[in-house]
Amino acid sequence: MKKIGILTSGGDCQGLNAAIRGVAKGLYEEIDDVEIYGIQNGYAGLIHGDYKKMNQSDFSGILTIGGTILGTSRQPFKMMRVIEDENSIDKVAAMKDNYKKMGLDCLVILGGNGTHKTANLLSEEGLNVVTMPKTIDNDVWGTEMTFGFQSAVDIATEVIDCIHTTATSHGRIFIVEVMGHKVGWLNLYAGIAGGADIILLPEIPYDINEIAKVIEKREQAGKRFSILAVAEGAISKEEAKMKKKELKALRASMPYPSISYKIAKELEEVTGHEIRVTVPGHFQRGGSPCAYDRFLCTRFGAAAARLIKNEQYGFMVALQNEKIVPVPLGEVAGKLKKVPVDSDIIEAAKEIGISFGD
Ligand code: F6P
């Protein structure tokens, strides 16, 4: 008999249920006697011993459903070992304790960057861990693609498409703010797919005057509208020179709900045009996974089950060169996969006249 725990951690995304289903089906199929335990609400459930035994039927009919049937929570890595007062607990010790109490043979963890730091820590502490990379940000190191990303790209692209029709009708300048605080993959893909004229990424600091010049050039060429796809984490050239703490304080004191409104205000001043801002926000993480994500999650799930069957622990399943491969957790944890500024995607975008505001 093998006992396997599954948890989903961090911000949700499309495909979590498809991946849960994939690994569960693989386990039931590949291992003769297996029990699966659903740990509730991410690492919080493992810390507090909140879990339930799942039935095979719990994994049916969930392929197309958004969110996660297990619930999730954000569990910052830096909080893990902090013992501040008598009410605080050693979270790592609590997780190890509950893993043992449950009699688990392996813990399957679905998550992004923060989640992988903790997964690696648990693996180093001796727990058998297998992970799957999820996030709409596509910033997990070691895999070319995370699940959730393509679904979010589809949604953000549709937002830009819709904004295009109203922008062209009115001859207006629009900003669409796309999720991604630290990396710009989602905005890069959606911006290109949606035909944005200017794409601002956290990886390429912008200059407001350069953006104004692009808009002016478009006007001179008879284009009455412009669309800017702005990543949540877009940063100006001046801000890029600041220390992290300084920038954080500046952003916290900003009298705008998000960076796009600041850029809109500055652009209004420089260009003299009214700028409209659209922020789809968490809409980008909601709803059904697209076909590609269902496909990827199913492959990831089957690969995770195979690793467990073969008792190969301490790995994340990853997509590399069209193949699903195991990557050691130690190689994944603590790294961020940013958009390389010399990426051929950026080069191609520039070649067709898209500006990055630099
Ligand atoms: O990590 C996924 C993500 O959606 C980011 O793109 C975004 O910056 C962040 O999560 C939002 O976090 P929260 O859901 O906690 O508001």
Side-chain angles (χ1 to χ4, degrees), residues 66-356:
T68 160
I69 57 166
L70 300 176
T72 188
S73 61
R74 291 219 183 260
Q75 192 69 52
F77 180 74
K78 54 178 176 269
M79 299 283 289
M80 292 317 255
R81 282 237 183 240
V82 176
I83 302 176
E84 280 160 343
D85 57 42
E86 68 279 10
N87 296 320
S88 300
I89 52 167
D90 184 330
K91 293 170 184 170
V92 175
M95 287 195 280
K96 282 172 71 176
D97 209 35
N98 280 319
Y99 177 98
K100 281 196 190 111
K101 271 191 205 151
M102 290 165 75
L104 294 181
D105 292 288
C106 180
L107 181 61
V108 180
I109 299 173
L110 284 65
N113 274 312
T115 300
H116 274 88
K117 280 189 195 165
T118 308
N120 184 45
L121 176 77
L122 293 178
S123 172
E124 285 174 349
E125 292 278 330
L127 306 196
N128 295 333
V129 175
V130 167
T131 72
M132 289 191 244
K134 68 95 231 199
T135 167
I136 64 164
D137 294 338
N138 194 30
D139 58 357
V140 176
W141 189 266
T143 185
E144 278 152 24
M145 202 54 75
T146 58
F147 66 84
F149 175 67
Q150 292 291 345
S151 304
V153 168
D154 285 353
I155 295 176
T157 302
E158 200 179 333
V159 173
I160 300 174
D161 286 349
C162 292
I163 290 302
H164 244 115
T165 62
T166 177
T168 48
S169 304
H170 285 265
R172 275 180 172 153
I173 300 164
F174 266 92
I175 291 179
V176 177
E177 184 176 291
V178 176
M179 270 190 165
H181 263 300
K182 293 183 181 155
V183 303
W185 290 109
L186 178 55
N187 192 39
L188 180 63
Y189 274 55
I192 292 175
D197 307 298
I198 297 156
I199 296 178
L200 304 187
L201 308 176
E203 292 89 345
I204 305 180
Y206 66 83
D207 178 336
I208 207 77
N209 294 311
E210 279 306 316
I211 301 173
K213 271 189 215 159
V214 175
I215 293 171
E216 203 183 302
K217 209 171 140 199
R218 282 177 55 78
E219 283 168 357
Q220 282 163 2
K223 308 262 173 73
R224 292 175 65 234
F225 73 98
S226 288
I227 309 272
L228 287 83
V230 172
E232 262 180 317
I235 178 170
S236 70
K237 285 193 174 170
E238 300 83 68
E239 287 172 331
K241 289 182 200 142
M242 291 179 180
K243 292 209 173 88
K244 253 191 189 169
K245 256 189 178 172
E246 218 184 325
L247 177 61
K248 212 172 164 193
L250 179 79
R251 285 287 168 89
S253 66
M254 194 171 72
Y256 307 104
S258 70
I259 187 68
S260 293
Y261 292 89
K262 178 175 178 274
I263 294 174
K265 182 81 178 37
E266 289 170 356
L267 263 186
E268 281 183 348
E269 280 165 14
V270 185
T271 63
H273 292 301
E274 236 185 351
I275 319 267
R276 295 280 195 272
V277 176
T278 293
V279 183
H282 290 77
F283 199 81
Q284 294 161 95
R285 278 188 358 208
S288 296
C290 66
Y292 179 86
D293 276 333
R294 296 176 200 182
F295 172 77
L296 183 64
C297 288
T298 305
R299 289 181 78 195
F300 276 160
R306 203 179 310 130
L307 286 177
I308 296 166
K309 185 190 169 201
N310 297 334
E311 300 186 349
Q312 284 179 275
Y313 305 120
F315 292 100
M316 174 184 84
V317 292
L319 182 73
Q320 286 181 7
N321 301 318
E322 299 300 320
K323 288 206 166 71
I324 307 293
V325 295
V327 177
L329 286 175
E331 284 179 23
V332 176
K335 292 189 201 143
L336 195 62
K337 188 183 72 184
K338 292 188 178 201
V339 176
V341 288
D342 58 354
S343 134
D344 62 329
I345 307 175
I346 291 185
E347 197 186 326
K350 284 186 174 170
E351 279 167 357
I352 65 147
I354 295 174
S355 164
F356 288 85

